[in-house]
Amino acid sequence: MPMVAGSTDRRIDKLIYLLVKNATVVVPGPKIASEIGVTRATVWAWIEKLRSLGMDVRGVPAKGYQLVKIPDLLVPSLLRPELSGCEIGHSIVHYFRTESTNDVALELAAQGAAHGTVVVAEEQTAGRGRLGRVWYSEKSSGIYTSVILRPPLAPAAAPVLTLMAGLAAQKAVSSTTGLPVDIRWPNDLLVNGKKVCGILTEMSAEVDRLHAVVLGIGLNVNHIHLPAELKALASSLRLEAQRLISRAQLFVALLRELDRHYHLLLKEGSKAITERWAAASSFAHGKRVRVVSETGEAIVTTAGLDSSGALRVWHDDGREELLVTGEVQQVK
Ligand code: BTN
C-alpha cells in the first residue's frame, strides 16, 4: 500500500483499538506504550490529542487510562473486523482531517493502490461536490469517503458505476436508519425531499479501459446545523430520524452494500443495476423535473433509464431526450 502523508498513524489507530477493547477497565500507561511501541510520554500526548478531537478518556492517577464512552470514529482497526469477505475496505486509509478524500484517492490510485482501497476522513477542509461546488464537511458529523475501484470494464460503463454507488448508499442508509430514502438521478439520496448524500465519481481511463474509478461519497449523518444556504435543500439523517446515528455502523453497511452491488454488476451486467435503480427511485418514471444543462433549462417528464444509465425524458412538445450528465430537480 503506497503511503500518503498526513494519514492517521497506525499506532494511534492501535491505541484507540486498545482503549475500545478494554473499555470496562483502566489500562496502565506502560502496557499501552509497550503494546503500540511508543514511549509513555507519547501515549500521554496522543491521548491529549484524542481528547481534543472529542474522545472521552479518563486518566486515573498512577493507574492508567479508561475510555468513558465508545467513540464513533471511522478508524480502520474498529471497522476491519466488520468487513470480512469484502474486497471493498480490505485497506482503509484514515484521516482526522484532509482537504478532500477524492484528491487523496486519486493520488493513491495513480500510485497503484489496489481495487477496494478506501480513504475516509473525519473532516474535510476542501470537500468537493459535483459541478464545481463545495461539499460541506463538518468534523465528526458526516461520512466523507472515497472508494477506489479497478473495474474490468470500458469507460462507457462509468455512468452505471455511478448509479450502482447511489443504489448501494440508498440500501445502506435505509437499512441502518429505517428512513424512507429516495434516489434522485443520477445518485443523490433524498430523505423527505432533502439531500442527505451526494456522490462525485472521478476516474482515469484510456480509450477502451477504465484504469481506476474513485467513488467519492459524502453523507450528512449527525449534523445538527447546516449552513443557511443549504437548509432549504439539504438535511442530515439525524435531523430526519430525530436520533443520533452510528457513523461506524452506517459506514460498514455502505462498504458492504458497495461490495455486493459491484459484484452484482460484474456478474449480471448493467441491467441488474438499472432495473434495481429504477425500482428504488421515484425519479425513474413519470416525474416532472427541471433539467439544467449547458444549452439551457427545460421542464420534462422522466421515462426510465436506458441500459447505459442515461435518463430518458419527454419534452412537452413530444421530443425524447437521453440525459447523460447534469442534474434534475423535481418540479413542485
Ligand atoms: C455532490 O455534489 O452531490 C457530490 C458530493 C461528493 C462529496 C464527497 S465527500 C467525500 C469525497 N471527497 C470530496 O471532496 N468529495 C466527495
Side-chain angles (χ1 to χ4, degrees), residues 1 13 82 88 106 121 136 147 154 189 202 213 242 269 307 319:
M1 174 67 193
D13 187 11
E82 310 299 322
I88 292 182
L106 287 167
Y136 178 67
V147 176
L189 297 191
E202 297 184 295
V213 173
Q242 306 268 299
S307 59
R319 264 182 312 123

Side-chain angles (χ1 to χ4, degrees), residues 29 36 75-76 91 100 125-126 135 137 149-150 160 206 214 216 245 260 267:
I36 67 175
V75 288
S91 169
S100 154
T125 54
W135 187 258
S137 310
L149 301 179
R150 294 198 181 273
V160 175
E206 274 172 26
V214 169
I245 307 293
R260 186 165 79 83
K267 197 162 156 245

Side-chain angles (χ1 to χ4, degrees), residues 26-293:
V26 177
V27 193
K31 180 176 150 75
I32 300 178
S34 78
E35 286 210 20
I36 67 175
V38 297
T39 64
R40 286 167 65 180
T42 304
V43 170
W44 180 83
W46 282 355
I47 287 197
E48 281 303 299
K49 180 177 171 177
L50 293 176
R51 281 183 179 138
S52 76
L53 291 160
M55 238 175 106
D56 203 350
V57 187
R58 190 163 69 104
V60 185
K63 289 221 166 83
Y65 301 97
Q66 183 178 20
L67 197 61
V68 177
K69 213 171 99 226
I70 304 289
D72 192 21
L73 289 172
L74 305 178
V75 288
S77 62
L78 301 180
L79 301 170
R80 282 286 315 124
E82 310 299 322
L83 292 168
S84 59
C86 287
E87 275 177 17
I88 292 182
H90 66 85
S91 169
I92 300 175
V93 181
H94 176 269
Y95 284 80
F96 280 104
R97 179 192 286 161
T98 192
E99 289 185 357
S100 154
T101 56
N102 261 37
D103 290 349
V104 177
L106 287 167
E107 172 67 27
L108 281 174
Q111 289 178 34
H115 170 82
T117 302
V118 170
V119 181
V120 63
E122 306 290 334
E123 178 183 6
Q124 291 185 123
T125 54
R128 295 189 284 114
R130 295 176 68 222
L131 310 171
R133 297 186 189 123
V134 166
W135 187 258
Y136 178 67
S137 310
E138 185 187 318
K139 181 167 104 179
S140 304
S141 296
I143 295 176
Y144 318 114
T145 188
S146 301
V147 176
I148 299 174
L149 301 179
R150 294 198 181 273
L153 301 170
V160 175
L161 282 164
T162 291
L163 296 181
M164 182 281 290
L167 185 60
Q170 192 241 19
K171 301 289 174 219
V173 173
S174 56
S175 67
T176 309
T177 64
L179 287 166
V181 190
D182 200 0
I183 321 176
R184 177 172 58 198
W185 187 85
N187 56 14
D188 289 340
L189 297 191
L190 307 181
V191 175
N192 301 324
K194 291 194 170 179
K195 179 160 165 174
V196 293
C197 173
I199 302 179
L200 174 67
T201 310
E202 297 184 295
M203 66 196 78
S204 65
E206 274 172 26
V207 180
D208 58 344
R209 197 174 65 88
L210 284 166
H211 280 301
V213 173
V214 169
L215 299 175
I217 305 174
L219 267 154
N220 297 344
V221 186
N222 286 323
H223 301 62
I224 303 177
H225 304 289
L226 287 159
E229 67 274 17
L230 294 182
K231 268 188 191 156
L233 300 172
S235 187
S236 75
L237 301 176
R238 178 180 184 171
L239 288 171
E240 297 306 314
Q242 306 268 299
R243 67 181 170 89
L244 202 66
I245 307 293
S246 159
R247 287 186 312 141
Q249 193 191 340
L250 176 56
F251 190 40
V252 165
L254 174 67
L255 298 181
R256 286 197 158 279
E257 290 292 353
L258 281 171
D259 199 75
R260 186 165 79 83
H261 284 85
Y262 179 75
H263 283 109
L264 181 73
L265 170 63
L266 290 196
K267 197 162 156 245
E268 293 182 26
S270 52
K271 205 163 167 229
I273 300 298
T274 53
E275 280 179 359
R276 282 168 176 78
W277 191 98
S281 168
S282 78
F283 281 76
H285 290 278
K287 188 83 134 192
R288 293 286 282 167
V289 293
R290 176 175 292 104
V291 183
V292 185
S293 70

